[in-house]
Every structure is written in structure tokens, then in C-alpha cells.
């Protein structure tokens, strides 16, 4: 698929922007702070319902404005679709497809698909497990948009379960104290615990589905990541992706993972009630990224970490392409970080893509193989060269 037109209203630094786009390579060139990343961030938002730079929507709305609108005309084969998202920080976002009546924002997932690589991706290697979980879960959703529903079910159940555990922890702590009405605290603890069993089942069901998808994704991605790393840094690998679950076991199917998660919840129950928080499940898992024998985190050099993050994105791109619907590849401020050799390699790898959006501070940072459409971005204006 590719985007044929991007419109922004009150998004980031743009009061308005209208950007007609072609298939093939498009480069946005301009000095720092002029709004290049803001443009590709908007495209990425349509694909993931989130920004690759910030966790909340508030910074995405232009200072002083109330809401932002991102609109894209999208072409997939012969099919044209218009997607629209209205960002209302603090209130529900709204979405429309083909100007018809409103749909849920998550219903637009799958229309725009992107693989976005940006300097922030170094956090995939060096950052907290949450960064890697988000990487996995966004890719799962790009492969299969219905997983957005499973993810939000899981988040909802987790939140409810944590609330319950917190109140059980409180009841337990106050239960032994003199002054509390006799029996009251303990009976509410009893009620909480029987409800907890029900939440365990919900958590294990959504959790198992998420885990099954993550494990399948990792198995598919592994050889592609290894290949991509070899192309970027020959002889530097191999790379291995190892899932590290909080619920121990070797299960792979959804049913077995359900059983494994349920058993781990039983084992963790006492500790969970003491601490008032859910200690096992996909929200506590990590993906260990190995380079050679060692985990990249804590061991890999800056250059190796950079190549690794890029290899993960290129592998994601390969995977989505191989599975049918080609995503838009976004390379934000990437070339300036690479030496000449890796720059050329990357350029050759991505040049045949259906649509590749590149940002760079100066023309010279964009490799010659990626000669395509150019826009200059300066002073709030996006102009075709
Ligand atoms: N919500 C916002 N309202 C107004 N300006 C913003 C907002 N968010 C970011 N900006 C401005 O956008 C600029 C950064 O744009 P960006 O696209 O990151 O630049 P670059 O061209 O270097 O990629 C900064 O000058 C910043 O102040
Ligand atoms: Mg930028």
C-alpha cells in the first residue's frame, strides 16, 4: 500500500499541511526543528494509533489548539481509502473511513501500515523491556489488526485485576489491626479472592493469545533479523531473539500457554496479594536480543546497537512484505548516523520499496540510489522541489 495524500490540521507544528505523495522514494529535507519528523510521525500514528516519540497524545496537538486531525488518502492496488483520525487529548479520539460515520479508532488499523525506523529505536536495544514489548505488539497488530482488540482486552483485565489485588493487599494489611470491625476486613478479602479466580481466567485467556502471537512472530522474525544484520554488518552476527517469559515453561500453542499462565498465576498468588500487583503475564516479559553469545543490552557497542535496531526494522519490513500487504517504510534521520558503506547497503535494500519516506537535514545525507521526489521542509512549509 502507499499514501497518496497526507493532510494535517493542528498536528504538532503544523496549523495545516497538504502533502501529495507518490509511490517510490520521497525525501523530506530541511534544517533541524522544521517539522520533518512531525510529518512522518503522523503517518506512523495512522498505522499504530501512537507516536514513536511520545507516550501520550497531548504533545501531538499544536500548541494552543484543541484537537489535531490526521487524514490520509491510501491506495492499495486498485482500492482507494480515506482514513481520518481526530486526536482529542483527555477525551476519546475519533475516526472515520471514507468520510462515512464514525468508527472506533482501532478500526482504521490495517489500512495504513508502516515500518518506521528512527533514532529513538536505539531504545529497542538499550532500553527497558517495555520498549521491546511494544515493538512486538505493534508488529503483531500490523500482521493481524484484530490483535488490537486482544491487546486492549488484556490491558483492561490487567488493570481490573491490579485494582483487586491492591484492595486485597490493603484488606490483608489492615485485617490484623485492632480497631477494625471484627471479621469485616477478612470477609472482604475472601470476596476479593473468589473474584480474583475469575480475573485469572480472563487474564490467562487474553494473555495466552498475545503470547502465542508473540512467539510465532519471534520465530518468523529471527532468520530475517539475522539476515538483515549480516547485510548491514557482514560477519558481525549472528543475532538471536530469545523470548523471556515471566511465566516459566515451554508452551507454544494457545491452549498450553493458557495452562502455563494459569499455573504461574496460582504460584504467584501469595506474592501478588502481598505486593498488590500482577507479577506474571505478557506485560512482565522481555525479549532478549543476543549478538553472538551476549545480550546486546549492556554489551553491544553504539554502532552494533544501531545496526541491530535497524536490522529489527528491516526484518519487520521483510516480514510484512512477505505476508502480502506491503507497508510504507519510514526512515527518519537515519542516514546521517551511518557510515558510507552501511548507508549504501541500506539504500540498496530499501530502494525497491513501494513507498519509502526519508527525512534528512541536508541533501547529501540522502544516498543517490534513493533519488526520488524531494520536498523541502522549512518555516512550516512543505514544498516539492
Ligand atoms: N504540539 C506542538 N505545537 C507546536 N509546535 C510543536 C509541537 N510539537 C512540536 N513542535 C515543534 O516542532 C518542531 C520539531 O519538529 P520535528 O519534525 O521534530 O523537526 P525535524 O525537522 O528536526 O524533524 C520543534 O520546533 C517543536 O517546537
Ligand atoms: Mg527529525
Amino acid at each position: 500500500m502507499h499514501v497518496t495524500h497526507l493532510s494535517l490540521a493542528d498536528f504538532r507544528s503544523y496549523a495545516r499541511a497538504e502533502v501529495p505523495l507518490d509511490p517510490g522514494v520521497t525525501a523530506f529535507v530541511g534544517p533541524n526543528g522544521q517539522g520533518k519528523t512531525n510529518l512522518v510521525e503522523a503517518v506512523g500514528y495512522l498505522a499504530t494509533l501512537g507516536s514513536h516519540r511520545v507516550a501520550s497524545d497531548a504533545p501531538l496537538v499544536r500548541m494552543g489548539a484543541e484537537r489535531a486531525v490526521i487524514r490520509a488518502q491510501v491506495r492499495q492496488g486498485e482500492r482507494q481509502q480515506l482514513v481520518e483520525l481526530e486526536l482529542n487529548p483527555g477525551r476519546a479520539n475519533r475516526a472515520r473511513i471514507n468520510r462515512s460515520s464514525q468508527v472506533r479508532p482501532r478500526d482504521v488499523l490495517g489500512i495504513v501500515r508502516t515500518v518506521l525506523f528512527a533514532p529513538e529505536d536505539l531504545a529497542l536495544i538499550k532500553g527497558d523491556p517495555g520498549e521491546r514489548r511494544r515493538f512486538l505488539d505493534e508488529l503483531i497488530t500490523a500482521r493481524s489488526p484484530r490483535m488490537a482488540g486482544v491487546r486492549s482486552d488484556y490491558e483492561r483485565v490487567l488493570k481490573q485485576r491490579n485494582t483487586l489485588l491492591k484492595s486485597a493487599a490493603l484488606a490483608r494489611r489492615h485485617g490484623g489491626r485492632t480497631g477494625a470491625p471484627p471479621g469485616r476486613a477478612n470477609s472482604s478479602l475472601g470476596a476479593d479472592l473468589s473474584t480474583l479466580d475469575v480475573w485469572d481466567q480472563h487474564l490467562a485467556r487474553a494473555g495466552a493469545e498475545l503470547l502465542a502471537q508473540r512467539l510465532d512472530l519471534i520465530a518468523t522474525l529471527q532468520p530475517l533479523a539475522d539476515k538483515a544484520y549480516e547485510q548491514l554488518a557482514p560477519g558481525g552476527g549472528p543475532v538471536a531473539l530469545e523470548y523471556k517469559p515471566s511465566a516459566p515453561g515451554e508452551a507454544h500453542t494457545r491452549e498450553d500457554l493458557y495452562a502455563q499462565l494459569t499455573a504461574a498465576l496460582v504460584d504467584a498468588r501469595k506474592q501478588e496479594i502481598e505486593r498488590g500487583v500482577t507479577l506474571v503475564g505478557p506485560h512482565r516479559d522481555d525479549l532478549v536480543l543476543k549478538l553472538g553469545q551476549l545480550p546486546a543490552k549492556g554489551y553491544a557497542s553504539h554502532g552494533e546497537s544501531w545496526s541491530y535496531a535497524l536490522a529489527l526494522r528491516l526484518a519487520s519490513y521483510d516480514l510484512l512484505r512477505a505476508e502480502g500487504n506491503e507497508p510504507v517504510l519510514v526512515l527518519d534521520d537515519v542516514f546521517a548516523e551511518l557510515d558510507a558503506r552501511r548507508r549504501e547497503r541500506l539504500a540498496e535494500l530499501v530502494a525497491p520499496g513501494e513507498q519509502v519516506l526519508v527525512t534528512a537535514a541536508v541533501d547529501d545525507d540522502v544516498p543517490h540510489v534513493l533519488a526520488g521526489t524531494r520536498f523541502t521542509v522549512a518555516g512550516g512549509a512543505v514544498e516539492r522541489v
Side-chain angles (χ1 to χ4, degrees), residues 12-13 31-38 53 59-63:
R12 288 283 199 185
S13 51
N32 284 328
Q34 298 299 304
K36 305 181 297 292
T37 300
N38 294 345
R53 296 196 285 188
L60 306 179
V61 176
R62 192 169 67 95
M63 191 58 74

Side-chain angles (χ1 to χ4, degrees), residues 276-291:
V277 62
T278 301
L279 295 171
V280 287
H283 67 293
R284 303 281 286 210
D285 296 354
D286 198 359
L287 171 68
V288 179
L289 301 169
K290 283 186 148 175
L291 183 59

Side-chain angles (χ1 to χ4, degrees), residues 50 66 74 83 110 136 161 200 239 246 263 319 338 357 378:
E66 246 172 60
V74 179
V83 278
L136 293 174
R161 194 175 181 277
D200 282 10
V239 307
S246 53
L319 183 146
L338 298 171
L357 306 179

Side-chain angles (χ1 to χ4, degrees), residues 57-320:
D57 286 348
L60 306 179
V61 176
R62 192 169 67 95
M63 191 58 74
E66 246 172 60
R67 66 183 69 85
V69 177
I70 309 172
R71 188 179 296 131
Q73 185 79 43
V74 179
R75 188 173 189 102
Q76 187 187 344
E78 288 306 301
R79 190 154 175 230
Q80 290 269 11
Q81 277 182 293
L82 182 71
V83 278
E84 248 176 287
L85 281 177
E86 183 185 287
L87 279 52
N88 300 300
R91 285 180 300 128
N93 291 345
R94 286 141 56 109
R96 290 200 303 167
I97 299 173
N98 295 331
R99 297 196 188 279
S100 66
S101 56
Q102 276 186 43
V103 294
R104 290 173 308 180
R106 79 158 99 117
D107 293 326
V108 313
L109 289 171
I111 298 177
V112 174
R113 299 211 294 176
T114 59
V115 168
L116 190 154
F117 182 66
E120 285 79 5
D121 281 335
L122 216 46
L124 276 178
I125 314 300
K126 297 175 184 262
D128 294 336
E131 303 281 348
R132 290 176 287 282
R133 290 193 296 263
R134 184 160 69 102
F135 165 72
L136 293 174
D137 291 347
E138 282 182 355
L139 194 48
I140 282 170
T141 310
R143 283 178 102 184
S144 151
R146 71 167 193 92
M147 287 305 293
V150 176
R151 283 169 69 191
S152 80
D153 285 351
Y154 185 81
E155 292 302 323
R156 200 189 60 239
V157 170
L158 180 64
K159 222 164 126 188
Q160 307 250 27
R161 194 175 181 277
N162 281 341
T163 305
L164 199 61
L165 283 170
K166 218 167 280 160
S167 76
L170 271 175
R172 193 174 165 279
R173 248 170 257 147
H174 296 302
R177 278 202 200 149
T178 50
R184 201 190 117 211
N186 279 334
S187 70
S188 84
L189 177 58
D192 283 353
L193 292 184
S194 65
T195 328
L196 200 54
D197 287 336
V198 179
W199 286 112
D200 282 10
Q201 287 171 28
H202 291 314
L203 190 84
R205 197 168 305 123
E209 192 158 4
L210 200 53
L211 281 172
Q213 294 287 333
R214 283 189 189 170
L215 293 175
D216 179 72
L217 171 66
I218 291 165
T220 316
L221 201 61
Q222 156 69 47
L224 301 174
D226 193 47
K227 190 185 85 189
Y229 194 90
E230 178 62 23
Q231 284 168 328
L232 290 167
V239 307
L241 316 183
E242 284 174 16
Y243 196 68
K244 196 171 139 219
S246 53
E250 301 296 317
H252 272 85
T253 66
R254 216 201 299 175
E255 299 77 58
D256 292 352
L257 286 160
Y258 177 80
Q260 184 170 297
L261 214 44
T262 308
L265 285 168
V266 170
D267 288 346
R269 164 98 35 126
K270 189 162 167 279
Q271 218 194 341
E272 288 191 330
I273 290 171
E274 271 164 27
R275 307 216 352 220
V277 62
T278 301
L279 295 171
V280 287
H283 67 293
R284 303 281 286 210
D285 296 354
D286 198 359
L287 171 68
V288 179
L289 301 169
K290 283 186 148 175
L291 183 59
Q293 298 302 310
L294 296 169
K297 182 173 175 167
Y299 292 91
S301 71
H302 181 80
E304 285 171 332
S305 301
W306 185 264
S307 296
Y308 208 137
L310 181 51
L312 289 175
R313 292 301 184 191
L314 289 175
S316 309
Y317 186 54
D318 268 359
L319 183 146
L320 293 176

